[in-house]
Amino acid sequence: MGDRVRAGIRVEGVVQGVGFRPYVYSLATGLGLAGLVGNDVDGVFAEVEGSARAVARFLALLGQEAPPLARIERISSTRLGVTGAADFAIVPSQAGGERRTLIAADSATCADCLRELADPADRRYRYPFINCTNCGPRFTIVRDVPYDRPLTTMSGFGMCAPCAAEYHDPADRRFHAQPVCCPACGPRLSLVTPDGTRLSGSDPVAAAAGLLRCGRVVAVKGLGGYHLAVDAGNSEAAAALRARKHREDRPFAVMVPDLATAGQLCVLDQAARRLLMSPRRPIVLLPRRSGASVPVAPAVAPGNRQLGLMLPYTPLHHLLLEAVAGPIVATSGNVSDEPIAYGDGEALARLAGIADAFLLHDRPIQIRADDSVVRVLGGRESVIRRSRGYVPEPLTTSLRFRRPVLACGAELKNTFCLATGNRVFVSQHIGDLANAETLRSFTEGIEHFRRLFDVVPQVVAHDMHPDYLSTKYAAQLDGVELLAVQHHHAHIASCLADNSEAGPVIGVAFDGTGYGADGTVWGGEFLIADLAGFERAGCLEPVPMPGGEAAIRQPWRMAAAYLAACYPAGPPAGLAVVRRNERRFATVLAMADRHVNSPLTSSAGRLFDAVAALAGIRDVVSYEGQAAIELEQAADAHERGSYPAAIAGRAGRLSVHGADLVRAAADDMLAGVAPAVIAARFHNGLSAAIVTVCARLREQSGLSVVALSGGVFQNQLLTGQVVAGLADEGFRVLVHSRVPCNDGGISLGQAAVAGSRDRLAGGPISKSAATGRPPGGR
């Protein structure tokens, strides 16, 4: 056979459900090669036979011209015996063996499908479920692997003859597109009342748009769950949705029809445009444009300088936005603090008191997935909530796991993480585990990921807090080794893993609260840390939290605690925060002084709360972090003044006196200084203190890399100042980009710590390693 050769090829990564087999078929036949291609539990396998030159060309092009949704991790090839085959075929999938294949994330409707959607001559004209190998549902419809139609929620929809012809035609864009369908054979829309009664009319989309224009609330079934939608320009509708959803102040997301409308509402740079238009289609937090020509009701994002915008990502969204002819609110279909509704019966039951009508369809959603949320930080993407469009694709890191690990995450903004070999799978956003339905979503999600990726954990990492439901879940698992990971060490480890670094670094972990290694409430921490261990090198000076959890809900209590530290003889009666809460202020001061239900905390979040209350911005919050967010929003961007904060050393640990910042803010309040100036001076002072502490720790440790993590660093003003200040001092600064800096990134950090300690131990992980020590015995 001359120079004829045959090669066996293995392609691993996100290569199923993205048109990879048709791509291989076209590439091979275009080069005149014979052979086969198919799916199995590892990914895609292929054999190609032909001239040595053609086979070499095939291998060179295979990774260069892959489909847009493919994420290739590895291509390997072996030489096989020549068979003399003359044809190339796509062969049936193989389901046996250990599963190592990856599932693609859901992807926004592609340009080709949108053209067909708008073409009156196309048989899928205005069909709300149009898709192809380059777009459409993936993760949210997958029941099992390999990714074939019988193992998705499309299994109940038999293909009609024209769809089947496309599906089996290697030259067609829908060749082996598993969700392929059309009006004759696919899912169908309906518009129903809250009791399930179908509303009459031939066009559910037009009818739903009419309801939205009339100020009604419509629940719309999407890819990973239901949205609650109203006309974004209708003040009464937005206020009604807010009241029914029990969401007092937290901003709503807005879906806009196109990039031009987004640019009329918000200031867009190139990075923002790229994120809005990406196939992942996240919500992008953007600065509002003053004097915007497109109206958005004040109740949509009250008092907020930013809007969360997203573009349509399903054909149904495109049709609905076109019919409404303007932006709509598209917020998660739930009552506040509950998980998003994704089952039809569940949605009708849970959202009946909120929605006036339901625009639903009969394609089941296998697993819930909220919209992802991102922002631009330093010219690059920074993820705030990682979910639809990103999950379940693994994170590429330098981590290697000796044994499979399950990391259970935090109590708030929960995600979990499964890690095996060199792959790390961080789950979609789960939510706050205090809710029973969210806890069920957590446990069911873990089982789903274990099944999809065939991972049986041997090590289970969890938070140190004994009362977290994620900790209790870990404790009841049989046959696994448990490892408690300190909350703020997990934050820094998450930032290290996000940046494919191992440390050691100076870690700054600023957040609301976290269970400390000493049993107190931490939250303003300076650590010397690597993946395996940490030393607490500094913190904000602890103050009482009068009333415990009540102090989180009522920031004025933290103002009282800090004022007590500033004014031992009692805070000035002229302060407005004292007058506003005068009936309870003395009681709270006494509670703090006697340490009655007043645990000590070094929390940076509580320091922000104190200043927000002192400045008259927020005494009581309706959602986590509200006071700090509004303090940032209030800050005068042109103010350069700064409050000083003493930095002292105690028992080998640095201590930042947050009370100094509060005292300076109180003096300004008494002097009649504007809250916007106070907010800016506080930010400036705190960022300067962070830089100073890092500089002192560099003198002690010799480290010149700083990792910033924790929910406080969602604050763009503070983060920008700290990053710039550290860079001016010659530091290299690590920040999050692929996972959130908030508690949504904790599971990645827990997994990284567990994997690192497991590698170092080479056997069972010592329980004494729960707090750890960094290299060199520090």
Side-chain angles (χ1 to χ4, degrees):
M1 295 188 181
D3 71 343
R4 192 174 179 87
V5 297
R6 188 177 184 91
I9 299 157
R10 162 71 54 197
V11 186
E12 298 175 50
V14 180
V15 290
Q16 293 189 12
V18 295
F20 206 87
R21 288 177 298 173
Y23 160 67
V24 171
Y25 179 96
S26 298
L27 181 60
T29 54
L31 291 169
L33 296 170
L36 56 87
V37 64
N39 281 345
D40 65 10
V41 292
D42 288 322
V44 167
F45 62 90
E47 296 179 14
V48 293
E49 182 173 334
S51 70
R53 183 174 181 177
V55 170
R57 181 67 175 158
F58 175 89
L59 291 171
L61 294 175
L62 184 59
Q64 296 178 16
E65 301 178 357
L69 299 185
R71 304 284 187 272
I72 296 174
E73 287 188 345
R74 190 165 73 99
I75 298 174
S76 57
S77 64
T78 57
R79 188 152 187 167
L80 303 175
V82 174
T83 67
D87 298 318
F88 197 94
I90 294 181
V91 298
S93 297
Q94 300 176 5
E98 181 185 350
R99 303 171 183 183
R100 290 185 293 272
T101 192
L102 301 178
I103 304 298
D106 302 288
S107 183
T109 311
C110 70
D112 289 331
C113 284
L114 287 178
R115 278 192 293 271
E116 294 171 345
L117 185 71
D119 182 0
D122 193 277
R123 69 188 187 92
R124 293 187 177 88
Y125 174 58
R126 300 187 66 78
Y127 181 55
F129 305 98
I130 188 171
N131 67 85
C132 70
T133 55
N134 296 323
C135 69
R138 296 294 189 274
F139 171 60
T140 53
I141 65 169
V142 172
R143 290 192 172 120
D144 211 334
V145 293
Y147 176 70
D148 286 318
R149 194 180 183 102
L151 296 179
T152 73
T153 62
M154 285 296 294
S155 60
F157 299 92
M159 283 183 278
C160 65
C163 283
E166 292 171 328
Y167 182 87
H168 291 102
D169 180 3
D172 196 280
R173 198 175 82 253
R174 295 186 171 89
F175 184 43
H176 279 241
Q178 303 307 329
V180 65
C181 58
C182 72
C185 65
R188 298 186 178 184
L189 277 181
S190 58
L191 186 67
V192 304
T193 62
D195 65 4
T197 302
R198 190 182 297 266
L199 293 172
S200 60
S202 60
D203 190 343
V205 173
L211 291 173
L212 290 170
R213 287 194 299 269
C214 291
R216 302 299 175 85
V217 179
V218 179
V220 181
K221 187 176 181 180
L223 284 179
Y226 279 77
H227 283 128
L228 290 167
V230 296
D231 178 354
N234 189 318
S235 295
E236 292 182 1
L241 174 58
R242 195 168 284 286
R244 295 180 194 178
K245 192 175 159 71
H246 305 300
R247 184 165 171 157
E248 296 178 26
D249 302 296
R250 192 193 298 261
F252 289 140
V254 176
M255 183 177 285
V256 294
D258 49 42
L259 201 59
T261 306
Q264 292 173 327
L265 286 170
C266 293
V267 178
L268 307 181
D269 59 14
Q270 194 57 42
R273 291 187 180 91
R274 186 174 62 252
L275 289 171
L276 284 167
M277 291 294 293
S278 81
R280 301 185 188 278
R281 281 297 198 279
I283 298 168
V284 185
L285 299 185
L286 297 162
R288 299 177 79 153
R289 188 179 292 281
S290 59
S293 57
V294 177
V296 171
V300 171
N304 205 304
R305 295 179 182 176
Q306 295 184 323
L307 274 180
L309 299 185
M310 62 178 158
L311 297 184
Y313 54 84
T314 70
L316 175 56
H317 291 147
H318 283 279
L319 294 171
L320 185 61
L321 268 290
E322 176 189 320
V324 174
I328 62 171
V329 165
T331 188
S332 298
N334 57 6
V335 177
S336 216
D337 297 328
E338 291 182 358
I340 188 173
Y342 73 112
D344 297 337
E346 171 201 17
L348 289 168
R350 287 173 52 199
L351 306 180
I354 304 176
D356 299 305
F358 290 74
L359 184 60
L360 46 79
H361 56 77
D362 54 353
R363 183 182 70 205
I365 298 171
Q366 177 64 23
I367 192 163
R368 61 167 54 95
D370 288 85
D371 294 317
S372 296
V373 182
V374 305
R375 66 168 24 137
V376 178
L377 183 64
R380 68 173 184 164
E381 178 183 35
S382 177
V383 173
I384 294 172
R385 183 170 74 193
R386 186 176 182 271
S387 203
R388 177 200 48 78
Y390 294 78
V391 174
E393 294 178 7
L395 294 171
T396 302
T397 74
S398 57
L399 301 172
R400 296 294 182 271
F401 292 85
R402 187 175 71 90
R403 292 185 290 173
V405 171
L406 165 65
C408 296
E411 190 81 346
L412 302 180
K413 296 181 175 64
N414 177 268
T415 62
F416 60 84
C417 178
L418 280 174
T420 182
N422 63 346
R423 288 177 173 171
V424 179
F425 301 95
V426 178
S427 77
Q428 75 275 23
H429 168 80
I430 302 295
D432 298 349
L433 295 187
N435 179 282
E437 183 63 29
T438 311
L439 181 62
R440 187 171 73 178
S441 180
F442 167 77
T443 57
E444 291 176 352
I446 290 174
E447 292 308 307
H448 188 56
F449 269 55
R450 287 182 57 174
R451 183 170 62 254
L452 285 183
F453 305 119
D454 207 16
V455 176
V456 180
Q458 297 178 32
V459 178
V460 176
H462 59 86
D463 196 274
M464 290 182 68
H465 199 302
D467 295 329
Y468 276 4
L469 294 181
S470 54
T471 300
K472 293 180 177 179
Y473 169 83
Q476 54 86 36
L477 296 176
D478 294 325
V480 297
E481 189 172 349
L482 299 180
L483 177 70
V485 180
Q486 200 281 321
H487 188 87
H488 300 94
H489 182 208
H491 268 309
I492 301 306
S494 177
C495 187
L496 288 171
D498 195 351
N499 288 275
S500 294
E501 302 247 358
V505 295
I506 298 169
V508 185
F510 274 26
D511 63 1
T513 57
Y515 194 85
D518 58 2
T520 65
V521 182
W522 291 8
E525 309 306 312
F526 297 89
L527 310 180
I528 303 297
D530 60 10
L531 293 178
F534 74 96
E535 174 189 355
R536 193 186 192 196
C539 65
L540 294 177
E541 183 72 15
V543 296
M545 281 176 61
E549 293 286 328
I552 299 174
R553 299 186 297 270
Q554 299 173 14
W556 70 266
R557 291 173 176 260
M558 290 309 304
Y562 268 104
L563 288 171
C566 300
Y567 300 97
L575 287 171
V577 67
V578 177
R579 296 197 304 271
R580 290 193 306 269
N581 301 281
E582 59 183 347
R583 287 186 299 175
R584 296 174 290 175
F585 216 85
T587 302
V588 167
L589 287 174
M591 180 186 298
D593 183 57
R594 297 169 186 168
H595 302 288
V596 176
N597 190 24
S598 299
L600 289 176
T601 182
S602 57
S603 166
R606 302 292 78 81
L607 175 59
F608 272 84
D609 286 352
V611 177
L614 182 64
I617 291 169
R618 177 64 58 178
D619 278 357
V620 178
V621 300
S622 61
Y623 63 89
E624 184 202 8
Q626 182 180 7
I629 291 169
E630 293 180 357
L631 185 67
E632 178 192 6
Q633 296 280 328
D636 181 347
H638 303 291
E639 173 60 35
R640 295 294 177 262
S642 175
Y643 296 145
I647 299 168
R650 179 183 299 174
R653 182 182 301 153
L654 297 178
S655 176
V656 180
H657 290 195
D660 291 351
L661 301 171
V662 174
R663 175 63 186 258
D667 289 345
D668 270 356
M669 280 295 293
L670 292 170
V673 174
V677 174
I678 292 172
R681 290 175 179 174
F682 167 73
H683 278 84
N684 298 343
L686 182 58
S687 62
I690 292 171
V691 172
T692 300
V693 171
C694 290
R696 293 193 185 181
L697 292 177
R698 176 170 57 186
E699 293 174 2
Q700 298 175 13
S701 67
L703 298 173
S704 59
V705 181
V706 176
L708 306 178
S709 191
V712 167
F713 287 111
Q714 289 178 184
N715 183 316
Q716 285 184 291
L717 176 59
L718 182 76
T719 303
Q721 291 176 340
V722 171
V723 169
L726 289 169
D728 287 345
E729 292 294 323
F731 285 97
R732 184 163 65 91
V733 186
L734 307 179
V735 296
H736 287 268
S737 60
R738 299 180 297 163
V739 298
C741 65
N742 60 42
D743 282 5
I746 284 286
S747 64
L748 174 61
Q750 291 173 341
V753 171
S756 179
R757 290 182 182 161
D758 193 36
R759 287 194 308 275
L760 290 173
I765 306 171
S766 169
K767 291 186 178 180
S768 65
T771 56
R773 286 292 181 271
R778 295 190 62 86

